[in-house]
Amino acid sequence: MKSKSSKSRTSIWINSSIIVLALLIASGLGTGCSMLRSYTEPQLTNEERASNLESFELVWSTIRDKHWDPDLAGLDWQAVHDQVLPQVEQARTSRQYDHAIRGMLKRFEQSHFALLPKDVYKDMNVSDGKGKRDGKTGIKVRFIGQQLLVTEVEKDSSAAKMGIQPGWEIRKIDGDSVAKHIRRLERVFKDKPNLFVLVSNSSARNKLRGEGGTNKTIVFRDGSNRTRKLDVPLLANTEEKYRLGAMPGMIVKFEARRLEGNIGYITFDSFMDPVRIMPQFEKAIKSFADCDGIIIDVRGNLGGLPGIAMGIAGWLVDDEQEYFGTLRTRDSELRLVVNPRLNVYQGKVAILIDGMSVSCAEIFPAGLRDMGRAQLFGTITAGQVLAATFMDLPNGYFLMFPFADYISKNGDRFEGIGVTPDVEVDHTRADLLSGRDNALHAAMLWINEETTASDSDTLVGLK
Amino acid sequence: MKTTNTKHSRNFTILMAILTMLFVANTCLQAAEQVADSQQEILPTGKEVVERNIVASGGYEAFAKLENRTAKATIIINPAGIKGKITTCHEKSGKIRVRMNMEGLGIIDKGYDGQAFWEKNPMTGPRLVDGKERAMMVLLTQFNPTEYEDHYQKIENIGTETVAGTDCYMVRFTPKTIKAFTVWFSIESALEVKREMTIYNQMGELEMEMRNYDYREVDGIKIPFKTISRGFNMEEVITLSRVVHNQELPENRFTLPNEIKQLVARSEKKVSSR
């Protein structure tokens, strides 16, 4: 019965694809963002306090109604409301308000909760590189043990021009000691190793950002073990930010190149901006059609839209019965399926992962491995695997919260656990200084099936 | 003694009260059943409700005059605040083309050329639609609402309910291959107020609720200019801005995009090689 309107039925047809694909599996965005705190110390006005109260009620009721777990992680959610409400009512500054709401969300001990203060949220949406976090040194870092090491220096960056090299150790940033910072985080996250890795690296990454046109004063131990104090300029990132609804704006990076040994290499830092990323991915896959293998590097990838993971898999998997896993809300289950493309790449696929591979960047490698399509190299991922949606609040804040659980095809949950690589391999200072990326090297060896005695350590666990 | 008598009396009283309640309840039930029976007797059949809806929506003659419909709309997905624009073109043969330009997600194209239902999505790529999803689309893309009967095993009026202050008949439609769904039709206006149905897509099944608002007449046909759909913890608001009937359509309006043609060819090859 068509009733009055084919229009209504068209609406139904539209629903089925948009609703599902618009959900987000990107905790990393929340982790990085929620690390930022910018408080307006002035006292809140009466209007701001009323708006904060309204927003608190909205956050509380939204989570009550939409969080994926009907038991709400065993919390007495009404009791939580009654405990937090007085804190919200009595909050006289933004810091106090934030503390109350974050405390409420933290009770879940789950990923994909994020609350951005309105000034941070607003700043992240500033375009033309004028946001307070839009300036970059070009230095990528990772904690290896207790050391914060430079793992990569972006070409043409201010760090590259100053001769900063992978393998250099960072001792201080703007006077703050890295050693003290890491010891503090070790105490806070002593029982949560995955979270420790994620938070320590996220905080280091954020510490190296700032306003374009300013400097970061960084104390290094260079490749000759000399201490060097450098003022590294922050170059304003003027690329157009990607926007999706209420999500904060972000720059999405993509790179593809050929490596020696007839290997294709693709890296991107989030599963976002499909309009720009997917054509680039298609072009790369097609150009690598004759390669013996493709390495997809999702280290440091913050996750994003599951539709993109499904789409990329379509170039690598030719079985339309395959799927990554299942998203579960309170009343629905949906599979992240694969639509095989017309020309599926048939060669080897290696995926690089690490403790900063988050959410969709965990589902993607795990799923392709479950399909028998990829080998994973690197270190265990962050263990932040839920599906989230997001909204802006009446008081100008941004909220992200999980509304679906994720179970892999093989029945695994990765939330709080992470995805373990097939070949565990991490950076070392010595190898970085010599110009070698160990995980990348291991993946290349596997693709080319080359082994030497000196590579034996790298090949532990290699299939 | 007195106490025992009192207790006994109380127990008896309680027992009598219970029996009385049951009796009363039973009587009430019987009375209710009689009322229900009498209401049942006066309830129109499911088909009668549908026919009233067709008349209220414009009538057989008005629908018969339609050759095609093109429409433009806006869409917003909440709570994420994702916006987009939609254009649709639907022909009386059932062919349809829908284009959604979503901010941040790109252009999603969907269609039916008379043989293949398909979709092209910037994220997931091109695909052909089959199985229950296709069965659902066959149902939903039929252009003329007067041609409904062959698609259903049953159309039943299952009662009345008030939806947002509007008294409605609840009509249960049982299609031949997919799950039954329910539509609420206003008793007064006979127009569709709400529907609950299972939406099939490549990822699985979603339970959705759809509500219609702001009916306006275009060429004698009443069309809801606003629809709000809820499901999977999200809400979509689609608002029509323009509806035009019987436009001259370009010849290639429903032609399959190249990637879809290639998928069709691949699919046919697979079938013939079995």
Side-chain angles (χ1 to χ4, degrees):
Chain A
M1 171 294 196
K2 264 47 90 359
S3 85
K4 45 37 214 145
S5 72
S6 57
K7 181 267 173 184
S8 168
R9 297 186 296 279
T10 306
S11 307
I12 296 165
W13 197 10
I14 288 165
N15 291 340
S16 63
S17 52
I18 293 293
I19 280 189
V20 173
L21 294 174
L23 58 85
L24 192 71
I25 306 183
S27 167
L29 294 161
T31 303
C33 297
S34 64
M35 297 289 300
L36 298 168
R37 285 172 172 79
S38 172
Y39 296 105
T40 49
E41 289 304 328
Q43 300 283 295
L44 295 168
T45 64
N46 285 340
E47 208 174 74
E48 284 170 331
R49 289 172 64 205
S51 184
N52 282 352
L53 186 60
E54 185 190 356
S55 297
F56 157 70
E57 294 291 355
L58 182 59
V59 169
W60 179 84
S61 61
T62 298
I63 290 168
R64 175 197 63 196
D65 298 336
K66 297 190 176 181
H67 187 276
W68 60 269
D69 180 3
D71 292 329
L72 297 175
L75 295 169
D76 181 343
W77 199 233
Q78 185 61 55
V80 170
H81 173 278
D82 298 342
Q83 286 160 24
V84 176
L85 176 60
Q87 297 171 34
V88 172
E89 286 172 331
Q90 290 158 28
R92 292 290 181 268
T93 65
S94 293
R95 182 189 292 267
Q96 289 169 351
Y97 172 76
D98 290 2
H99 181 77
I101 305 298
R102 284 181 210 278
M104 179 171 78
L105 301 179
K106 269 189 189 161
R107 294 176 197 229
F108 278 89
E109 294 192 345
Q110 289 174 359
S111 68
H112 288 76
F113 280 105
L115 183 78
L116 292 183
K118 68 176 171 186
D119 50 350
V120 172
Y121 183 32
K122 197 172 162 188
D123 179 72
M124 290 178 79
N125 289 326
V126 167
S127 54
D128 300 329
K130 292 189 178 124
K132 292 191 173 68
R133 298 175 73 233
D134 288 345
K136 290 169 69 173
T137 60
I139 298 170
K140 289 189 180 175
V141 294
R142 283 292 185 276
F143 274 101
I144 307 296
Q146 298 274 323
Q147 295 178 322
L148 183 62
L149 299 181
V150 176
T151 54
E152 191 183 329
V153 178
E154 289 175 1
K155 197 176 151 192
D156 297 329
S157 63
S158 52
K161 288 172 188 165
M162 296 180 80
I164 295 165
Q165 301 282 330
W168 286 22
E169 182 190 357
I170 292 177
R171 293 272 175 89
K172 281 187 181 179
I173 305 172
D174 288 341
D176 291 331
S177 161
V178 168
K180 271 191 192 163
H181 179 65
I182 198 75
R183 281 197 297 270
R184 184 177 66 80
L185 288 177
E186 274 177 337
R187 284 195 300 273
V188 170
F189 295 105
K190 65 176 186 291
D191 297 326
K192 297 173 185 172
N194 292 45
L195 206 49
F196 166 72
V197 168
L198 180 64
V199 171
S200 59
N201 284 294
S202 295
S203 60
R205 182 190 62 196
N206 289 336
K207 191 74 178 160
L208 287 168
R209 288 188 180 161
E211 206 167 330
T214 63
N215 290 340
K216 282 284 165 184
T217 303
I218 306 175
V219 174
F220 294 95
R221 179 169 68 107
D222 70 10
S224 304
N225 292 328
R226 287 176 306 185
T227 299
R228 294 170 70 170
K229 185 175 177 181
L230 298 173
D231 288 326
V232 185
L234 288 163
L235 298 182
N237 191 336
T238 55
E239 286 179 60
E240 193 179 339
K241 286 184 179 175
Y242 170 69
R243 297 297 313 275
L244 179 68
M247 277 295 293
M250 65 185 74
I251 308 286
V252 180
K253 295 282 191 193
F254 179 93
E255 184 195 341
R257 63 179 193 268
R258 268 203 191 224
L259 304 176
E260 62 181 68
N262 196 31
I263 296 172
Y265 173 81
I266 298 171
T267 186
F268 53 112
D269 61 5
S270 67
F271 286 74
M272 299 289 268
D273 199 357
V275 175
R276 207 168 56 82
I277 293 296
M278 295 307 276
Q280 291 187 72
F281 220 103
E282 180 173 13
K283 186 178 169 191
I285 293 277
K286 284 180 176 170
S287 74
F288 297 151
D290 63 329
C291 285
D292 296 321
I294 295 178
I295 296 171
I296 302 175
D297 188 350
V298 295
R299 293 176 296 181
N301 185 306
L302 302 179
L305 300 165
I308 291 181
M310 292 157 62
I312 293 172
W315 280 305
L316 305 172
V317 176
D318 59 10
D319 183 351
E320 60 198 19
Q321 301 301 317
E322 280 291 6
Y323 66 104
F324 284 90
T326 305
L327 295 170
R328 288 183 188 162
T329 64
R330 291 183 190 185
D331 49 23
S332 301
E333 279 192 12
L334 294 177
R335 284 185 172 184
L336 302 183
V337 298
V338 178
N339 292 328
R341 306 277 180 163
L342 288 161
N343 296 302
V344 174
Y345 175 75
Q346 301 292 340
K348 286 181 170 178
V349 177
I351 303 179
L352 308 186
I353 57 175
D354 71 358
M356 291 284 283
S357 303
V358 181
S359 204
C360 209
E362 302 181 76
I363 287 173
F364 176 74
L368 282 180
R369 178 170 62 187
D370 288 348
M371 294 180 217
R373 197 58 192 97
Q375 284 267 5
L376 310 187
F377 298 79
T379 55
I380 193 168
T381 63
Q384 309 256 302
V385 186
L386 296 172
T389 188
F390 47 92
M391 55 198 281
D392 42 28
L393 300 174
N395 61 357
Y397 279 56
F398 167 87
L399 172 73
M400 184 170 81
F401 67 94
F403 80 104
D405 195 9
Y406 177 78
I407 315 290
S408 79
K409 191 174 87 160
N410 292 346
D412 299 314
R413 280 191 88 237
F414 300 118
E415 171 70 8
I417 299 167
V419 176
T420 306
D422 298 295
V423 177
E424 192 157 343
V425 56
D426 203 355
H427 295 296
T428 66
R429 179 169 145 87
D431 286 320
L432 285 169
L433 285 170
S434 71
R436 188 160 110 167
D437 177 333
N438 284 338
L440 180 64
H441 182 67
M444 292 172 73
L445 287 178
W446 172 70
I447 286 171
N448 286 331
E449 293 179 349
E450 290 173 13
T451 60
T452 66
S454 65
D455 294 317
S456 57
D457 286 340
T458 309
L459 299 174
V460 170
L462 198 64
K463 291 175 188 161
Chain B
M1 288 296 177
K2 197 173 177 181
T3 306
T4 305
N5 281 341
T6 304
K7 186 176 169 187
H8 178 74
S9 299
R10 191 169 65 229
N11 285 345
F12 182 76
T13 306
I14 289 170
L15 181 61
M16 282 304 297
I18 291 171
L19 285 173
T20 306
M21 283 170 63
L22 283 173
F23 180 75
V24 169
N26 197 39
T27 307
C28 284
L29 273 173
Q30 286 174 348
E33 279 169 4
Q34 285 167 2
V35 169
D37 284 344
S38 66
Q39 282 180 340
Q40 204 60 21
E41 284 164 17
I42 62 172
L43 269 182
T45 64
K47 188 176 167 185
E48 284 170 344
V49 175
V50 171
E51 290 294 325
R52 285 184 194 180
N53 170 261
I54 289 172
V55 169
S57 302
Y60 279 82
E61 267 189 49
F63 282 114
K65 288 179 186 168
L66 299 183
E67 296 289 320
N68 59 60
R69 172 182 293 141
T70 54
K72 287 188 192 278
T74 58
I75 178 173
I76 179 162
I77 301 172
N78 290 319
I82 299 170
K83 294 178 186 170
K85 291 181 181 171
I86 304 168
T87 52
T88 69
C89 186
H90 198 184
E91 199 193 57
K92 72 175 181 184
S93 64
K95 293 178 186 176
I96 190 167
R97 188 76 181 254
V98 177
R99 170 166 278 214
M100 294 172 274
N101 191 344
M102 304 300 299
E103 292 174 5
L105 296 176
I107 293 176
I108 298 167
D109 267 323
K110 306 175 87 157
Y112 172 60
D113 72 335
Q115 290 188 313
F117 283 96
W118 57 272
E119 177 182 293
K120 257 184 69 177
N121 186 309
M123 288 184 280
T124 56
R127 70 181 181 103
L128 298 176
V129 176
D130 57 15
K132 287 187 174 174
E133 188 182 0
R134 184 191 162 101
M136 178 189 74
M137 288 187 179
V138 166
L139 209 63
L140 299 178
T141 56
Q142 192 155 352
F143 184 78
N144 191 332
T146 63
E147 298 164 4
Y148 62 93
E149 285 193 81
D150 288 344
H151 293 281
Y152 301 96
Q153 298 177 55
K154 280 190 289 188
I155 302 173
E156 309 159 88
N157 186 342
I158 57 174
T160 60
E161 192 173 86
T162 304
V163 176
T166 302
D167 294 329
C168 297
Y169 291 123
M170 296 165 58
V171 178
R172 191 115 180 108
F173 294 84
T174 306
K176 290 179 178 170
T177 51
I178 59 174
K179 285 182 187 171
F181 60 91
T182 305
V183 180
W184 283 253
F185 294 95
S186 163
I187 293 175
E188 186 184 334
S189 71
L191 297 175
E192 178 176 325
V193 172
K194 172 178 135 175
R195 147 189 315 232
E196 286 180 359
M197 69 183 293
T198 302
I199 301 299
Y200 299 86
N201 73 22
Q202 59 175 323
M203 296 169 69
E205 300 176 10
L206 289 173
E207 300 304 318
M208 302 282 299
E209 179 204 277
M210 286 138 277
R211 296 205 183 192
N212 294 329
Y213 305 88
D214 190 17
Y215 276 91
R216 300 182 203 175
E217 197 166 298
V218 181
D219 299 320
I221 306 294
K222 287 213 174 81
I223 298 172
F225 267 56
K226 183 173 174 180
T227 306
I228 299 180
S229 306
R230 294 184 178 93
F232 210 64
N233 281 327
M234 295 191 195
E235 176 189 274
E236 277 185 5
V237 182
I238 295 177
T239 308
L240 282 173
S241 58
R242 183 171 168 262
V243 177
V244 177
H245 292 122
N246 300 344
Q247 276 196 314
E248 193 163 329
L249 301 176
E251 268 187 35
N252 62 352
R253 167 60 70 206
F254 304 106
T255 302
L256 298 179
N258 282 335
E259 300 105 308
I260 303 297
K261 282 182 189 166
Q262 289 173 45
L263 287 179
V264 170
R266 182 172 77 176
S267 168
E268 285 169 354
K269 201 172 162 188
K270 276 186 187 169
V271 168
S272 64
S273 68
R274 282 190 200 141

